[in-house]
Amino acid sequence: TDTGNQSVSFAFLNRYLLDPQTATECNCSKSSPCDQEVEKDKIFIAGLFDTKTFEWGEEVFHFVVEMINNRTDGWYDDLLPDGADIVPIVVDSGCDSKVATPNYWKLRSDWGKPLHGVVGCRCSGASKDVSRIAGLEQVPVVSMSSSSAQLSNKKEYPSFSRLVGPDDFRGQVGALVNLLVSFGWDRVSILSTDTQYTTDLMTAFSNNWTGKIPYTFTVSITTDETVDMSSLNQAFDGFPVDDPTINSRVIILLAHSRFALPILHEAMSRSFQPDSIWVGTDAWIGRILGNNEKQLPQMPGYIGVLPYVERESNAHKNFLSRLQQKQKRGKATVMDKLPSYAVGNMVDSVIALTKAMSNMSPNERSNGTLVVEELRSLIFEGVSGNVAFSPEGDRLNPKYTIMNLQRDGWVEVGVASPNSVDVVIENICWASDGCGLKLAPLGKYLVPPTPVETWVLITIPIISVLVVVVFFKYWKTHKKKETVKKRISVMQLTIDDMHLKMEKMKNIDNELVDLDKKMEDAKRKQQLLIEQRASLQDKPPTWSDTDEILVEVTPDDEQYWDVFDKMRETMDDAWFTKIWRVQNTSLWTYYSFHKDRLDMNNISPNERSVWHGTSALDPAIIYNDRQDGFMMQFSSVGYWGKGIYFADKSSYSDHYTYKPNPQYCVDRPGSVSGEKEMYLAKLLVGTELYINRDESAAKAQMCRGLTVPPINPNTSLKYNTVSGKTAGSKVWIVYENGRAYPDYLVRYYRGRRDPKRTPFDSRRDTIKRGLSNSFKSNVDLDVGQQTQANAPHANLWEYNDNGWKPYTQSAEVILEKAYLNFVMCKGPSKTSVSGDEWSYEVDFDKMYQTNTQHPSRTQRKVRRQVSIRPIIIPNGMVIH
């Protein structure tokens, strides 16, 4: 615990965790007797935050829970499919562990309900004590704003997660250091208060700043929570303002807003270094500085960072609109925008907890360890932006808004992160320098030159003139002699050199002519070999008879729905606008050559269907290429070095998609705002080496330096592929061209289905409306007949039990027959199959199975594979 709070925390630990009698009182109150059965249709979540500072907190918290529980309002209606409701409660945590800890235990003892999760606290000190105790109970805690780097310690805080980055090189400190370096500054002074939060910040900044820090001072805070003015005066008096060789114009102010304001007022009242550039963090940057703004300079020029808010996203706009409608109905003050980044983070904290529990059975939801594991694997577009968690529970890839206080208030001037800075300096206003500068002002003061004695100023020119005159006479005489000698020597050398150069140039010209002929011959031979191999190479059976490279796949084609199902395995809100099959004979020939090469070396090709986003690269460059397709030349350095990255989950590649041109794309029609494109590709994995880069800092550094796979010690040959896991998805990295083929190009959008762009929502819908007559006429199942499969078996249907596993062949036949009847409206949406030990009911609408014999009716996800070999089902029909 923080210094001074140990007695509070340990007193409550002794009372509620170590004393059996008190523990019995806590867990078995009158409102919740011990023998009462847990309400499995309820999820109990507490909002633990500073209700005074977050005056909007209770309203937002209850509104989010209300919308999640309403499954007909179009806002996350798919959460908690078993029909469970969230029961919320709000408890004041203050910004102090002395308030948060007893109130947490009062909640645990008086509420009489099991606690499935906590949203909070606001401040790091409160979060530390509450999360340490909650971790002992395995209660998940998700904070919207606690940023102390110590909370990343999973041994002390195993159940803690947060929607902000840590205050070290991975988060706010890293972004702030990057911003200062981008301005060209290498010298700063630091003024900090003596709170735990700012002390930790100053330590983290000092450890990561590579420039000079000529002056630091810690200002004392009194017991009544005010700035100690004598300490502040001492701080200002100690600045080396009279020594420009060490003084800095840039001052980092680390303080909460209630302390930052009087410090800045005092600086102005004593006219302290008026051109100082004050830099801060989210503790005071972007916040209203009280009612005394007139005590600030006319052009403050303060600058700093605070957590980024994605205000232009659909999720953000949708939530704000719904909140405004509710406020209008209640005749309350209507917000024109969300008042703080913490609002969106609070909303996403509730959504994240609910999403995690939606993927679990009612019995599993009370297991906090399982909930935390599910929470860490989430990736979704939230109100605050893209939401994902690191293994430590921190927000993955945090970004920060760069704020600047100008005459009319705070202005957003850019975005910074621990890895990059995007700022337009002309938009920044600086103290004393004003606005519109093309370059940031200097961060330090120029040192004036040392004055020179008068007699030195007179003597030096006289001596210099005499020396120049004497030297000039000598030089003129010597120069004449040297000029004559050089002219004779140069003339002779020039003649010899001309003969030699002419002879060399003649030889080079002859070699260039021979080389041009050889290159032309090689190119002709290469093209001839490619054409010969292409004529012998079998084309995929799914290709149509056309010379076009990009062939549109329509909803009446089974390929359309196979790819659709695979994408929605991890993005259930994705809808197709267009899907094209890539029929590039040259690329297919090159890909097949690599596949045959693996077979010749007795290596299993290990072919997989994987996702790939091209970011800013137009996919046309890949599918129109005649040689390589996916090219190392376009790759950049990632977590596993410089290679071509492919993902198992479409939700991972969603972050790296191409945004097509609204007017026109090469070979493709223009797009609508919000549409994206990515590839479903075939990948030859071959021999694979899985590397856990999170194992250590040294392992992460080694991975980042990879340019080829490591050596396999068993064969003394390099592995074909490196794999790993990041952001909840397995990824494969290849370091050579030709091992992947761009199978399908998918254009899609996320959110509600737009009937104009996506007329059909499922295979069944397509068939109902008469667009798949060929499919219906070719499938005629007779329930009474069975034919033993004669073709080589492939995994057509699979269930997820710690990884995808195949059904038995007899179960596959039953499932496939029932599924085809279902999509043709000839049968129900559910069917039953038997395994070696249990019986199951499979729901084709929701694509999961339920164990009908197990007491807990365990549910698991099922899937129908996209690319399989044929198997034979009733009447001898071959299903692809």
Side-chain angles (χ1 to χ4, degrees):
T1 59
D2 294 338
T3 303
N5 298 332
Q6 292 182 357
S7 60
V8 176
S9 297
F10 287 121
F12 278 98
L13 281 171
N14 286 328
R15 178 180 177 190
Y16 291 106
L17 294 181
L18 304 181
D19 180 51
Q21 180 178 355
T22 310
T24 303
E25 295 172 0
C26 173
N27 294 325
C28 307
S29 63
K30 293 181 180 179
S31 60
S32 178
C34 291
D35 59 352
Q36 178 177 329
E37 185 178 352
V38 176
E39 300 176 74
K40 294 184 179 180
D41 61 340
K42 300 289 190 297
I43 296 175
F44 300 94
I45 297 179
L48 198 64
F49 45 82
D50 185 352
T51 55
K52 293 181 180 179
T53 303
F54 282 0
E55 63 274 6
W56 42 263
E58 284 195 69
E59 177 187 5
V60 171
F61 184 74
H62 284 295
F63 179 54
V64 174
V65 172
E66 175 188 327
M67 288 201 295
I68 291 176
N69 286 340
N70 184 345
R71 292 175 175 82
T72 61
D73 61 357
W75 198 77
Y76 287 105
D77 292 344
D78 57 339
L79 293 181
L80 301 175
D82 61 335
D85 285 332
I86 299 174
V87 179
I89 188 172
V90 172
V91 178
D92 184 22
S93 70
C95 193
D96 188 346
S97 59
K98 295 179 182 178
V99 178
T101 307
N103 282 352
Y104 174 78
W105 279 111
K106 182 174 174 56
L107 164 70
R108 300 293 286 119
S109 61
D110 294 351
W111 196 21
K113 301 293 183 182
L115 189 57
H116 290 94
V118 174
V119 174
C121 302
R122 176 173 80 89
C123 297
S124 296
S127 286
K128 287 179 183 178
D129 277 7
V130 170
S131 298
R132 184 180 284 111
I133 300 171
L136 297 175
E137 297 188 296
Q138 296 184 346
V139 175
V141 178
V142 184
S143 172
M144 71 292 290
S145 57
S146 294
S147 56
S148 171
Q150 296 177 15
L151 286 165
S152 297
N153 186 337
K154 292 304 103 180
K155 290 184 179 179
E156 289 203 42
Y157 312 102
S159 66
F160 179 80
S161 304
R162 53 183 162 190
L163 269 294
V164 292
D167 282 336
D168 58 14
F169 68 94
R170 299 166 295 174
Q172 183 170 212
V173 169
L176 187 61
V177 168
N178 264 353
L179 176 63
L180 301 181
V181 171
S182 73
F183 290 150
W185 298 339
D186 60 1
R187 183 193 299 174
V188 300
S189 295
I190 302 178
L191 199 59
S192 171
T193 57
D194 62 357
T195 64
Q196 187 65 47
Y197 167 76
T198 52
T199 301
D200 292 345
L201 260 182
M202 183 168 66
T203 301
F205 181 87
S206 301
N207 290 339
N208 289 276
W209 175 249
T210 58
K212 297 179 180 178
I213 306 177
Y215 180 74
T216 61
F217 193 92
T218 302
V219 178
S220 300
I221 303 301
T222 64
T223 55
D224 60 352
E225 292 292 298
T226 60
V227 175
D228 185 334
M229 295 308 295
S230 63
S231 175
L232 181 58
N233 289 332
Q234 186 180 353
F236 282 127
D237 293 340
F239 270 90
V241 293
D242 296 327
D243 188 354
T245 60
I246 63 171
N247 191 27
S248 172
R249 184 180 172 186
V250 181
I251 303 174
I252 310 296
L253 176 58
L254 303 177
H256 288 91
S257 58
R258 64 183 183 276
F259 305 136
L261 185 60
I263 292 173
L264 295 170
H265 285 170
E266 181 63 19
M268 180 181 174
S269 65
R270 61 161 53 206
S271 298
F272 170 78
Q273 203 166 282
D275 61 348
S276 293
I277 302 172
W278 292 88
V279 179
T281 65
D282 69 325
W284 64 275
I285 290 296
R287 297 174 183 263
I288 297 175
L289 299 176
N291 298 320
N292 300 315
E293 285 86 350
K294 293 182 179 178
Q295 298 182 35
L296 297 179
Q298 187 177 9
M299 177 57 74
Y302 307 150
I303 193 166
V305 298
L306 77 167
Y308 178 75
V309 178
E310 184 60 76
R311 291 193 178 89
E312 296 303 316
S313 71
N314 292 332
H316 186 96
K317 292 178 180 178
N318 188 0
F319 175 78
L320 178 58
S321 174
R322 290 172 181 268
L323 180 61
Q324 290 170 336
Q325 291 172 14
K326 177 183 180 298
Q327 291 169 337
K328 288 178 182 178
R329 290 193 300 269
K331 297 183 179 179
T333 302
V334 178
M335 300 176 183
D336 60 340
K337 64 179 181 180
L338 299 185
S340 166
Y341 72 86
V343 179
N345 287 357
M346 176 186 285
V347 176
D348 290 340
S349 297
V350 180
I351 295 173
L353 275 173
T354 310
K355 275 183 171 286
M357 295 187 192
S358 294
N359 297 332
M360 308 171 70
S361 68
N363 288 336
E364 293 174 326
R365 291 168 184 162
S366 59
N367 187 330
T369 301
L370 295 180
V371 175
V372 170
E373 288 179 1
E374 191 69 31
L375 194 68
R376 301 281 165 79
S377 67
L378 293 177
I379 301 176
F380 65 93
E381 183 182 8
V383 174
S384 63
N386 290 327
V387 176
F389 297 93
S390 71
E392 295 79 21
D394 304 320
R395 185 166 196 151
L396 196 64
N397 302 323
K399 296 192 294 185
Y400 298 84
T401 301
I402 305 168
M403 302 293 292
N404 178 222
L405 185 56
Q406 302 179 6
R407 284 189 177 89
D408 298 328
W410 291 101
V411 177
E412 297 181 9
V413 295
V415 178
S417 75
N419 302 313
S420 64
V421 175
D422 183 9
V423 61
V424 180
I425 294 179
E426 289 92 330
N427 294 341
I428 302 176
C429 293
W430 309 92
S432 300
D433 296 301
C435 312
L437 300 184
K438 292 186 177 180
L439 297 175
L442 292 177
K444 52 192 175 185
Y445 295 96
L446 298 176
V447 179
T450 305
V452 182
E453 298 284 345
T454 305
W455 68 268
V456 175
L457 295 175
I458 297 173
T459 305
I460 289 178
I462 295 173
I463 294 174
S464 299
V465 170
L466 292 175
V467 170
V468 169
V469 170
V470 173
F471 178 77
F472 180 74
K473 287 185 177 181
Y474 168 79
W475 175 81
K476 191 173 182 180
T477 303
H478 181 74
K479 193 67 175 176
K480 286 182 179 179
K481 294 179 181 178
E482 288 294 321
T483 301
V484 174
K485 291 180 180 179
K486 285 183 179 180
R487 285 179 180 174
I488 296 173
S489 177
V490 167
M491 289 177 64
Q492 184 60 45
L493 289 174
T494 302
I495 294 172
D496 294 341
D497 190 46
M498 287 178 62
H499 285 295
L500 182 61
K501 286 182 177 179
M502 290 179 66
E503 187 64 29
K504 288 183 177 180
M505 286 191 292
K506 183 177 180 181
N507 293 335
I508 292 173
D509 289 343
N510 291 335
E511 289 183 16
L512 287 174
V513 171
D514 292 340
L515 188 59
D516 285 341
K517 291 181 178 179
K518 291 178 181 180
M519 290 176 65
E520 290 177 2
D521 292 341
K523 287 180 180 179
R524 283 194 295 269
K525 186 174 181 180
Q526 181 189 40
Q527 185 61 36
L528 180 61
L529 290 173
I530 291 175
E531 291 175 357
Q532 289 176 352
R533 198 182 200 283
S535 64
L536 299 173
Q537 177 68 50
D538 291 334
K539 296 179 181 179
T542 56
W543 283 19
S544 55
D545 187 13
T546 178
D547 293 332
E548 294 182 358
I549 291 179
L550 209 59
V551 180
E552 182 175 352
V553 180
T554 55
D556 61 342
D557 192 322
E558 273 293 284
Q559 296 175 60
Y560 181 98
W561 298 107
D562 288 343
V563 178
F564 179 78
D565 290 343
K566 184 167 181 62
M567 172 170 278
R568 286 174 66 101
E569 286 178 4
T570 55
M571 284 200 304
D572 57 7
D573 61 345
W575 299 98
F576 285 0
T577 301
K578 295 281 186 182
I579 175 173
W580 294 276
R581 183 174 58 248
V582 179
Q583 298 187 182
N584 187 320
T585 304
S586 298
L587 292 186
W588 180 255
T589 301
Y590 192 42
Y591 174 80
S592 301
F593 162 74
H594 280 275
K595 189 173 184 179
D596 294 342
R597 187 184 66 172
L598 292 172
D599 285 330
M600 291 170 63
N601 291 319
N602 295 320
I603 297 174
S604 170
N606 194 7
E607 189 175 48
R608 294 179 177 270
S609 288
V610 291
W611 298 99
H612 179 83
T614 62
S615 297
L617 184 70
D618 191 331
I621 295 176
I622 294 173
Y623 66 67
N624 278 329
D625 188 54
R626 293 292 181 175
Q627 183 173 337
D628 299 302
F630 296 107
M631 288 176 274
M632 282 288 295
Q633 293 89 325
F634 295 121
S635 63
S636 57
V637 177
Y639 281 159
W640 285 270
K642 183 178 174 62
I644 309 174
Y645 286 65
F646 299 91
D648 179 45
K649 295 186 177 181
S650 60
S651 56
Y652 176 84
S653 297
D654 180 62
H655 298 289
Y656 301 94
T657 51
Y658 176 73
K659 309 302 186 295
N661 191 305
Q663 304 300 323
Y664 178 74
C665 299
V666 177
D667 306 325
R668 314 188 299 285
S671 67
V672 177
S673 176
E675 292 183 344
K676 310 175 183 180
E677 291 180 349
M678 74 165 79
Y679 277 115
L680 178 62
K682 290 182 182 295
L683 174 66
L684 300 173
V685 176
T687 57
E688 173 184 348
L689 175 64
Y690 179 87
I691 305 179
N692 180 9
R693 67 176 306 278
D694 296 323
E695 182 179 301
S696 65
K699 182 62 69 70
Q701 185 177 4
M702 182 276 288
C703 288
R704 200 166 183 85
L706 288 174
T707 55
V708 295
I711 298 292
N712 184 341
N714 297 324
T715 63
S716 298
L717 300 174
K718 290 192 291 289
Y719 287 95
N720 298 123
T721 305
V722 170
S723 65
K725 189 171 184 180
T726 179
S729 176
K730 184 173 182 180
V731 294
W732 292 270
I733 305 92
V734 295
Y735 302 88
E736 61 178 329
N737 298 346
R739 292 247 310 283
Y741 179 78
D743 209 6
Y744 296 93
L745 176 62
V746 177
R747 178 178 292 181
Y748 67 100
Y749 60 94
R750 300 185 69 176
R752 287 178 175 273
R753 181 174 69 90
D754 179 0
K756 293 182 179 179
R757 290 185 285 174
T758 312
F760 308 102
D761 63 2
S762 64
R763 285 183 175 89
R764 194 170 190 176
D765 185 28
T766 308
I767 296 169
K768 278 183 178 180
R769 294 159 65 179
L771 288 185
S772 191
N773 294 323
S774 60
F775 177 73
K776 291 196 291 182
S777 63
N778 288 334
V779 178
D780 184 14
L781 299 178
D782 184 350
V783 178
Q785 297 182 8
Q786 297 288 333
T787 300
Q788 180 65 34
N790 297 319
H793 180 60
N795 298 335
L796 180 61
W797 284 88
E798 296 178 329
Y799 62 93
N800 195 330
D801 182 8
N802 294 321
W804 291 105
K805 298 178 180 179
Y807 283 91
T808 62
Q809 188 169 0
S810 60
E812 278 191 341
V813 172
I814 295 172
L815 287 172
E816 184 66 9
K817 178 175 59 180
Y819 175 75
L820 294 176
N821 280 331
F822 162 67
V823 298
M824 294 188 301
C825 308
K826 290 185 177 181
S829 62
K830 299 179 181 179
T831 191
S832 298
V833 294
S834 297
D836 296 333
E837 183 178 0
W838 307 96
S839 294
Y840 304 93
E841 181 182 71
V842 178
D843 189 324
F844 297 125
D845 261 336
K846 299 180 179 179
M847 292 303 281
Y848 66 74
Q849 70 172 20
T850 302
N851 189 327
T852 56
Q853 294 180 313
H854 196 278
S856 63
R857 294 182 66 84
T858 307
Q859 293 183 341
R860 304 189 188 280
K861 294 180 180 179
V862 302
R863 71 179 182 184
R864 184 173 182 263
Q865 283 284 57
V866 173
S867 299
I868 60 169
R869 291 171 289 170
I871 69 169
I872 299 178
I873 65 168
N875 293 333
M877 178 183 298
V878 177
I879 300 297
H880 292 274

